[in-house]
Amino acid sequence: MEIKDVCIRWIAIIVISSAVILYLMFNNEMWGRANVERSNLNLPEDTVAVEDFITNENGQTEDYSKAIQSAIDFCATQKKEKVKLKANKIYTIKSGFTVKEGVELEFGSNSVIVVKGNYRVLTVEKDAVIRNGTIQVMDPTFQAEVIFLKGQDQYDATNKTRVENMTIINKSKNYNGTGLSLYAKGKWHNISFVQFENISIVGFKTAIQLKAENPGAGTYSWINANRFENMTIDDCVLGIQIIGSMTIPNECSGNLFTGLQVQLTEKTKQIIKVDGSYNKFEGMVWDAQRINGSNPLVLFTAKTEYNKLDMNVATKSLSDKGQNNQY
């Protein structure tokens, strides 16, 4: 046999072997994709399931935080819309994650995120959405924020950011941490025109905190014109705290709290403590007779003006150190 024939034969063997290997690899990949598609048959094309991003073999995990973040990252890069948590399932997490711009995180019916550890749980970027879920803090060491918005994202009138139909509960009984936190400190950092609706917050040191700090260098930061509709605050040490000033450089103004339902317990120290201007609080307070101590239930600080309170709080339980506030 000539050398030329031998070379041709070996080349043919190599080509055929490579083709077989590529065929098997391709079929295995397609089989894997088919499994993903089958698991998501009931999901729309623009929706992904967290279960498809679990990397361990048996599909079980003690920490779903990486799988949730991977699903969110995939949606953000692939221009898909929604990450779906499975109904009637508990997702334990041991580190925080971020819902990125343009992504919606939707909880299934009765799906729950259980928080173990002390860390900021969930950061919401501009144009992100969170819907229909329960977040439970179980760790007595927890002292951080559950849902957090950062002013450097510059939420303006065009933003579509929403947090709605959520229950945020601290079951550890340590009465620490913050349920919902908005924070701005930096050059032109701001949070405005964000919609919060139908949210229950239970068992925290502070239920809702808005905080704008002076960024210095002649620049401004602000938290203005946000809507909080149908909020329930239950068994929290402090209900709503607004930290800032009446105007620039760190303004907190025009935030509307409507449809408030506030359940007081022996742990409650204060319902509302406010800096800022033109903020409005409307709703109902329950069981004021359970409060022990001399702190006013509502405090308008010296850094307030033109705020409005429409709640069933006795005048003796209110302290107004500002100017032109109404109640």
Side-chain angles (χ1 to χ4, degrees):
M1 184 179 295
E2 297 183 1
I3 295 177
K4 180 178 179 181
D5 293 336
V6 173
C7 291
I8 292 173
R9 181 171 294 180
W10 276 109
I11 290 172
I13 291 171
I14 292 170
V15 169
I16 293 170
S17 299
S18 299
V20 170
I21 291 170
L22 289 171
Y23 173 79
L24 292 173
M25 290 175 63
F26 178 78
N27 275 326
N28 283 337
E29 182 182 0
M30 291 305 294
W31 183 84
R33 289 179 182 174
N35 273 349
V36 170
E37 289 169 3
R38 282 198 293 271
S39 72
N40 291 339
L41 280 177
N42 295 324
L43 295 180
E45 181 66 26
D46 63 353
T47 302
V48 298
V50 168
E51 277 65 29
D52 295 331
F53 294 85
I54 297 171
T55 56
N56 57 333
E57 293 180 359
N58 61 7
Q60 302 297 317
T61 181
E62 294 182 355
D63 184 4
Y64 284 93
S65 50
K66 290 183 179 179
I68 294 171
Q69 188 65 70
S70 295
I72 291 169
D73 293 345
F74 178 82
C75 273
T77 56
Q78 299 300 315
K79 304 301 181 184
K80 292 185 179 291
E81 179 181 352
K82 187 182 297 184
V83 173
K84 182 83 171 181
L85 298 178
K86 190 176 181 181
N88 303 307
K89 182 169 181 176
I90 294 174
Y91 294 84
T92 300
I93 64 170
K94 296 181 180 179
S95 60
F97 59 91
T98 298
V99 184
K100 294 189 173 180
E101 181 178 351
V103 177
E104 176 181 333
L105 178 65
E106 182 178 60
F107 289 64
S109 176
N110 299 317
S111 58
V112 180
I113 287 179
V114 172
V115 179
K116 293 187 177 181
N118 179 31
Y119 48 85
R120 182 175 295 154
V121 178
L122 197 164
T123 300
V124 184
E125 291 189 350
K126 179 181 176 182
D127 292 329
V129 177
I130 308 172
R131 284 195 173 101
N132 305 337
T134 298
I135 302 176
Q136 291 182 1
V137 173
M138 305 297 292
D139 198 316
T141 67
F142 184 85
Q143 298 184 46
E145 308 92 353
V146 178
I147 295 180
F148 180 77
L149 281 69
K150 56 186 188 302
Q152 68 190 68
D153 286 352
Q154 298 182 322
Y155 305 74
D156 56 24
T158 66
N159 88 85
K160 302 175 183 176
T161 314
R162 296 179 67 91
V163 180
E164 58 187 24
N165 303 331
M166 297 292 298
T167 298
I168 306 167
I169 181 169
N170 188 343
K171 286 195 168 185
S172 71
K173 296 301 181 182
N174 69 349
Y175 293 93
N176 282 324
T178 302
L180 175 60
S181 175
L182 285 63
Y183 178 71
K185 182 186 179 181
K187 184 178 180 180
W188 315 122
H189 288 190
N190 67 88
I191 303 173
S192 301
F193 304 104
V194 178
Q195 181 80 16
F196 303 90
E197 186 174 356
N198 298 330
I199 301 173
S200 295
I201 303 174
V202 183
F204 288 89
K205 182 177 182 179
T206 305
I208 302 170
Q209 184 181 85
L210 284 59
K211 185 176 183 179
E213 295 192 89
N214 186 349
T219 61
Y220 310 145
S221 63
W222 64 92
I223 300 177
N224 295 344
N226 299 287
R227 295 179 178 89
F228 300 81
E229 299 180 4
N230 302 329
M231 311 292 287
T232 298
I233 297 171
D234 182 7
D235 193 28
C236 291
V237 179
L238 174 56
I240 299 169
Q241 183 175 33
I242 300 180
I243 304 170
S245 62
M246 296 179 288
T247 183
I248 54 176
N250 55 320
E251 181 179 356
C252 287
S253 66
N255 299 288
L256 305 180
F257 295 81
T258 57
L260 283 168
Q261 295 285 349
V262 182
Q263 176 63 61
L264 307 182
T265 69
E266 288 75 12
K267 292 291 183 178
T268 306
K269 301 297 183 184
Q270 211 157 47
I271 302 169
I272 298 170
K273 183 177 181 180
V274 185
D275 300 333
S277 59
Y278 295 97
N279 300 291
K280 180 179 179 180
F281 308 90
E282 177 271 318
M284 293 293 296
V285 176
W286 301 97
D287 295 332
Q289 75 278 1
R290 298 176 67 179
I291 302 301
N292 298 314
S294 57
N295 289 332
L297 291 180
V298 176
L299 171 60
F300 292 131
T301 74
K303 296 187 288 185
T304 58
E305 64 177 3
Y306 296 106
N307 295 283
K308 185 175 182 180
L309 179 77
D310 184 6
M311 302 180 75
N312 57 323
V313 176
T315 304
K316 66 179 181 180
S317 298
L318 187 148
S319 176
D320 182 7
K321 298 180 180 181
Q323 52 189 336
N324 298 311
N325 296 305
Q326 299 178 37
Y327 41 87

